[in-house]
Every structure is written in C-alpha cells, then in structure tokens.
Amino acid sequence: MHTIMVVEDERRLREIIAKYFIAEGFKVIEAENGKESIEHVKTTHVDVILMDVMMPEINGFEACKQIRAFSQALIIMLTARDDDEDKIKGFDCGADEYVTKPFSPKVLVARVNALLKRLNTAVESTNYIQFGKLKINKDNYEVYDHEDEIKLSPKEFDLLLLLVENKNAVLTREVILNRVWGYDYYGDYRTVDTHIKKLRKKLPHSSDAIKTIVKIGYKFEVK
C-alpha cells in the first residue's frame, strides 16, 4: 500500500482527491498548508505528495524545497496557473511532475499510478531495489526500512535479497537453504526459520511483506 499526502488548503477539493485515492487502495494523509505537510513528512513515511502551490503559512514551492532536502517522495505540484515559469520554478524546487487545475480526480489517480509504476521499474533496473518502505542497495549491501538504515548480517542480507528478487514467488525452505547457505551445508530447515524471524524483527515497517507459506516456505509479497 502506497501512502499519499494531499496538501491543499481548499478543504472540499482536498477531501474529494483523498476519497478517490482511498478507493484505489492508497493510505491518505491530508494537510491544509505547506508547514503542516513538512511536519508530516518528518514523522511519517510518504511515497507521493500532491502539493498545491498557493497556500497560507508556507507556499507549495517552499514546502517542496524543504521536503526535498530530506525526502525522496514523489512530489506532484497542483496549480491553477499554466505558466512555464511556474513549472520551471517547481522543478527547480525538486518537484517531479506538474498538474494544472482543473483536473479529473480519476485521471490524477491514473497518472500517479503510472508514475509509481515507472519509478519502481526504473529503480529495479539499477543497483537499487525498492518496494514500499524497503530499499536495498545491492552493491553496498545497504538496507533501508522507512529511511532507517538496517544492519544485517551477510546471510540475512542474502536471504532478504533472494526473497525480494523472487517477489510474489513461493520459495521452499530447501530452495532457500541451498541458495543462501549452499548445497554442502549440513544444517536443517530451522536455520531458515530462525533467520526469517530475525529479518522480521529488524524490518518492522516491511515485515508484513515476508509471508509464511505453511509447511512449504516463504515469499516476499508485493501488491
């Protein structure tokens, strides 16, 4: 489930947008001004931010700039002005996309889904793998969960990477044991179970994605 924040000072429009995204399975956070949006991102993981430009307290451009300094969330600017200078200003502040009002909420949802799909495809094609709150750097053996760096042992890292690279596929304990520990390993399946428990404990924000398939093995489920 992706988390999206709708930052809009017009309450009725904010509620309409939120309603459409909730219907599509998103978790929605609402903010009525730029200052409030910055505070939300500091304390809560957000995947996508829909940011109105003209708002009290802190406008959308400044909020975007401040958020981009510590978050890689996808930021989409919402504005009533179809002006090239405004668009350039938004991109300079770190925005990823620009949507002009008025817009169809249904089309906006489709646009966000397309951007997320394209982003995940691009991330998977590099040294990074990202699903929801979980990020893995295969080259540097780094793992981040909700932007917190997680220290894993080499075997824990290999196990997590195996599950993630075979997302949505059920891996038997035998396959996991052979792929991570090697065919000449003399331990039993309890080794796999013990390491899965350790992974879940170390990855509190992503542990639900590691599913137990009773009497068979495990899978990393991506919805």
Side-chain angles (χ1 to χ4, degrees), residues 1 11 16 21 25 30 36 48 52 84 88 105 107 131 139 142 168 170 196 207 209 218-219:
M1 178 186 292
R11 183 178 63 84
I16 290 173
F21 277 96
E30 295 183 39
E36 188 178 331
V48 184
D52 186 32
D84 285 345
I88 292 171
V107 173
F131 294 111
D139 284 347
E142 294 176 343
N168 295 326
V170 177
I196 289 289
S207 60
Y218 300 94
K219 73 172 178 177

Side-chain angles (χ1 to χ4, degrees), residues 58-94:
I58 298 176
N59 66 42
F61 293 131
E62 181 60 28
C64 176
K65 183 178 180 180
Q66 291 190 35
I67 289 171
R68 183 55 78 222
F70 62 87
S71 173
Q72 294 302 310
L74 185 67
I75 301 178
I76 302 173
M77 306 299 291
L78 307 177
T79 180
R81 295 180 55 180
D82 188 12
D83 187 287
D84 285 345
E85 288 188 9
D86 269 8
K87 291 181 180 180
I88 292 171
K89 187 175 181 180
F91 291 134
D92 286 344
C93 290

Side-chain angles (χ1 to χ4, degrees), residues 59-162:
N59 66 42
F61 293 131
E62 181 60 28
C64 176
K65 183 178 180 180
Q66 291 190 35
I67 289 171
R68 183 55 78 222
F70 62 87
S71 173
Q72 294 302 310
L74 185 67
I75 301 178
I76 302 173
M77 306 299 291
L78 307 177
T79 180
R81 295 180 55 180
D82 188 12
D83 187 287
D84 285 345
E85 288 188 9
D86 269 8
K87 291 181 180 180
I88 292 171
K89 187 175 181 180
F91 291 134
D92 286 344
C93 290
D96 298 285
E97 189 57 272
Y98 215 94
V99 174
T100 305
K101 299 177 182 178
F103 52 78
S104 162
K106 186 179 293 187
V107 173
L108 182 61
V109 171
R111 193 165 186 172
V112 168
N113 279 327
L115 287 169
L116 285 170
K117 184 177 180 180
R118 191 168 66 200
L119 178 63
N120 282 337
T121 300
V123 168
E124 285 187 75
S125 68
T126 68
N127 298 325
Y128 290 88
I129 299 176
Q130 178 176 353
F131 294 111
K133 302 177 180 66
L134 182 67
K135 302 176 184 178
I136 301 174
N137 184 325
K138 296 194 290 184
D139 284 347
N140 297 332
Y141 289 83
E142 294 176 343
V143 176
Y144 292 86
D145 191 34
H146 199 289
E147 300 185 359
D148 296 325
E149 185 172 4
I150 308 299
K151 299 298 183 182
L152 300 180
S153 70
K155 290 301 182 187
E156 289 168 351
F157 182 89
D158 291 343
L159 173 57
L160 178 62
L161 188 60
L162 176 66

Side-chain angles (χ1 to χ4, degrees), residues 198-213:
K198 289 180 179 179
L199 276 182
R200 285 173 171 158
K201 187 174 182 180
K202 290 185 176 183
L203 302 170
H205 302 287
S206 302
S207 60
D208 289 347
I210 303 175
K211 304 295 185 182
T212 299
I213 310 302

Side-chain angles (χ1 to χ4, degrees), residues 159-175:
L159 173 57
L160 178 62
L161 188 60
L162 176 66
L163 291 170
V164 170
E165 289 187 328
N166 292 274
K167 61 183 183 297
N168 295 326
V170 177
L171 301 178
T172 67
R173 288 177 173 84
E174 181 179 8
V175 167

